[in-house]
Amino acid sequence: MPTFDPPLKLMVVDDHFVFRAGLKTVLSLRNDFAVIAEADNAASAVERYARHQPDVTLMDLRLPDGTGIEATRQICTAHPDARILMLTTYDGDEDIHRALEAGAAGYLLKSVPGPELLRAIEAAARGERYIPPAVQQRLEERATFGELTDREREVLPLVVKGLTNRDIAGILNFTEFTAKAHVRSLLAKLGAADRTELVAIAVQRGLIHLD
Amino acid sequence: MPTFDPPLKLMVVDDHFVFRAGLKTVLSLRNDFAVIAEADNAASAVERYARHQPDVTLMDLRLPDGTGIEATRQICTAHPDARILMLTTYDGDEDIHRALEAGAAGYLLKSVPGPELLRAIEAAARGERYIPPAVQQRLEERATFGELTDREREVLPLVVKGLTNRDIAGILNFTEFTAKAHVRSLLAKLGAADRTELVAIAVQRGLIHLD
DNA sequence: CCCCGCATTATCCATTTGGCTAATAGTAGA
DNA sequence: TCTACTATTAGCCAAATGGATAATGCGGGG
């Protein structure tokens, strides 16, 4: 028996074999959904999107060859009508913000219950954004602090590495005073008392990914 | 057609609905495997293990009400013949070490390919330990540094919070000198140049879990 | 054109940190 | 019992940090 609507074409991008299997199983509960493509890395995700033109894409944030955010940005640039749902374990506000800014149509945690996942996909297919309340709340807490400047984003990872102001100055080619100024600004913006707490906060918020 | 062996009874413990679905799908490829129980938190994992007595249990490391390591410890204490495979995204040596020390029969990353997962389950069923080479390597790198003492384990989280030696001393009721001594020892054991790097290393190695 | 934010440099100063060394006491194991 | 490790305390010292303040130059927006 054919469905009224043509089946919704889905692509799944995740490097976890077992999770992909879970997604396919959950999605197969709906006979109007069809997983027409899969990818386990960013490069093939971009390539297969162009080839298969899925209606909605489920994308992991971390992939072996880069981030799902970069893949999302590339796909959305090339295909402005792309509907991409991020599906990840990372709940830091920075990751959420960057994903949406890259063009994602939604941001779900991998702990999402099946029915909510299906609802999010339907919403994305209709061209709507689906953001669960918990995720939305994370984003709003963020507003408290200002955006980081480009320089601050360069300095932050170096602080996390345990480098001193002098080391940082040497690497970025400015004086120790400048390094100090940027670190002071980072402390203020992220609400940290010292650089030790700065690391904890930056990791928690997804500004830095350790590994 | 009945299999020669009685079906191997499996329990799956993970709070991610989609991942559980994936596990069940992958495991159902083997008709001599049967998922007889599921749990999505530590407490019900312990309770259901006792009730269903599975042959092999697949256990996530992080659960809503605690850690899979604690659940593993409880189950292995009550049932010394339990075979529990940790299945997690955390690859820090401390998590691996603690899981094995708690009695786990193996430690797999969630990116495990299907066939390797099945092999690990078979090994666990035979009473063997299955540790993938990459995980084993992590454990061996660990040997470089000594174990942390109890005091050091108390001090570390406070350092990560951004507290000063004086603050730490106040909380743990000893002098600033003592705090300093423990921090110095932590820096040496974890190979960090300062407390900033200490945080990064502690998080990376799974000694501390943020959030 | 003026204001604002940013990057950069700079000074002063109190506090904190990290390295080195050392003593005492308790405890567990050889 | 002797040893090793740990916890605790302590002092000295150079270096790094964080707070407060300020000046300069640059670019964008009103």
Side-chain angles (χ1 to χ4, degrees):
Chain A
M1 177 177 68
T3 53
F4 292 135
D5 294 304
L8 191 70
K9 293 182 292 173
L10 300 172
M11 178 163 90
V12 169
V13 182
D14 198 304
D15 60 323
H16 290 19
F17 171 83
V18 177
F19 191 79
R20 284 207 311 275
L23 278 177
K24 285 189 287 182
T25 299
V26 172
L27 298 174
S28 68
L29 295 175
R30 289 279 300 255
N31 55 15
D32 52 346
F33 284 0
V35 177
I36 59 157
E38 292 181 53
D40 62 2
N41 64 73
S44 70
V46 174
E47 182 260 319
R48 284 178 199 174
Y49 184 95
R51 180 132 51 97
H52 299 285
Q53 302 271 334
D55 297 311
V56 176
T57 300
L58 302 177
M59 173 89 68
D60 192 11
L61 191 73
R62 279 177 94 59
L63 296 169
D65 59 341
T67 76
I69 292 178
E70 247 329 293
T72 298
R73 192 186 312 280
Q74 284 181 44
I75 292 172
C76 287
T77 302
H79 314 270
D81 57 337
R83 307 295 177 191
I84 301 181
L85 281 176
M86 298 302 306
L87 194 48
T88 172
T89 56
Y90 297 90
D91 64 347
D93 63 79
E94 181 71 8
D95 286 321
I96 301 169
H97 176 263
R98 278 199 264 217
L100 296 179
E101 175 263 333
Y107 195 102
L108 302 171
L109 297 182
K110 281 190 171 176
S111 54
V112 63
E116 187 168 23
L117 173 61
L118 298 177
R119 262 185 282 131
I121 292 173
E122 288 170 336
R126 286 193 303 270
E128 298 166 14
R129 279 214 156 161
Y130 185 91
I131 311 284
V135 172
Q136 184 63 42
Q137 197 189 331
R138 271 288 167 122
L139 258 188
E140 279 160 15
E141 289 167 13
R142 167 198 188 74
T144 320
F145 308 107
E147 283 285 315
L148 301 188
T149 66
D150 289 341
R151 256 327 194 194
E152 285 158 3
R153 282 175 202 280
E154 288 184 285
V155 171
L156 182 55
L158 302 178
V159 173
V160 173
K161 273 198 198 167
L163 301 183
T164 66
N165 291 331
R166 189 174 307 170
D167 294 335
I168 293 169
I171 290 172
L172 296 182
N173 276 93
F174 45 57
T175 68
E176 195 178 340
F177 303 114
T178 308
K180 233 179 135 174
H182 288 308
V183 170
R184 235 179 302 121
S185 178
L186 281 167
L187 292 173
K189 285 188 180 176
L190 298 188
D194 52 44
R195 34 180 85 205
T196 312
E197 200 183 0
L198 184 64
V199 175
I201 292 175
V203 171
Q204 228 167 7
R205 293 191 46 190
L207 288 156
I208 292 284
H209 286 283
L210 298 176
D211 59 346
Chain B
M1 177 176 69
T3 54
F4 293 133
D5 294 304
L8 191 70
K9 293 183 292 175
L10 300 172
M11 179 163 89
V12 169
V13 182
D14 198 304
D15 60 325
H16 290 19
F17 171 84
V18 176
F19 192 79
R20 283 206 313 276
L23 277 178
K24 285 189 287 182
T25 299
V26 172
L27 298 174
S28 70
L29 296 175
R30 289 280 299 255
N31 55 14
D32 52 346
F33 285 0
V35 177
I36 58 158
E38 291 181 52
D40 62 3
N41 63 72
S44 71
V46 174
E47 182 260 318
R48 283 177 200 174
Y49 184 96
R51 181 134 51 97
H52 299 284
Q53 303 272 334
D55 298 311
V56 175
T57 300
L58 302 178
M59 174 88 70
D60 192 11
L61 192 73
R62 279 179 93 61
L63 296 168
D65 60 340
T67 74
I69 293 178
E70 248 328 293
T72 298
R73 193 187 310 282
Q74 284 180 44
I75 292 172
C76 288
T77 302
H79 314 270
D81 56 338
R83 307 294 176 192
I84 301 181
L85 281 176
M86 299 303 306
L87 194 47
T88 172
T89 56
Y90 297 91
D91 64 347
D93 63 78
E94 182 70 9
D95 286 321
I96 301 169
H97 176 261
R98 277 199 264 219
L100 297 179
E101 175 263 333
Y107 195 102
L108 302 172
L109 298 182
K110 280 188 173 177
S111 54
V112 64
E116 187 168 23
L117 173 60
L118 299 177
R119 261 184 283 130
I121 294 173
E122 287 171 336
R126 287 194 301 269
E128 297 166 15
R129 280 216 155 159
Y130 185 90
I131 312 284
V135 172
Q136 184 63 43
Q137 196 189 331
R138 271 287 167 126
L139 259 188
E140 280 159 16
E141 288 166 15
R142 168 199 188 74
T144 320
F145 309 108
E147 283 285 314
L148 301 188
T149 66
D150 290 341
R151 257 323 194 197
E152 286 159 3
R153 281 174 202 281
E154 287 184 285
V155 171
L156 182 54
L158 302 178
V159 173
V160 173
K161 273 197 197 165
L163 302 182
T164 66
N165 290 331
R166 190 175 304 169
D167 294 335
I168 293 169
I171 291 172
L172 297 181
N173 276 94
F174 45 58
T175 68
E176 196 179 338
F177 302 113
T178 308
K180 233 180 135 174
H182 288 308
V183 170
R184 234 179 304 124
S185 178
L186 281 167
L187 292 174
K189 284 186 180 178
L190 298 188
D194 52 45
R195 33 181 85 209
T196 312
E197 200 184 358
L198 185 64
V199 176
I201 292 175
V203 171
Q204 228 169 4
R205 293 192 44 190
L207 289 156
I208 293 284
H209 287 282
L210 298 176
D211 67 342

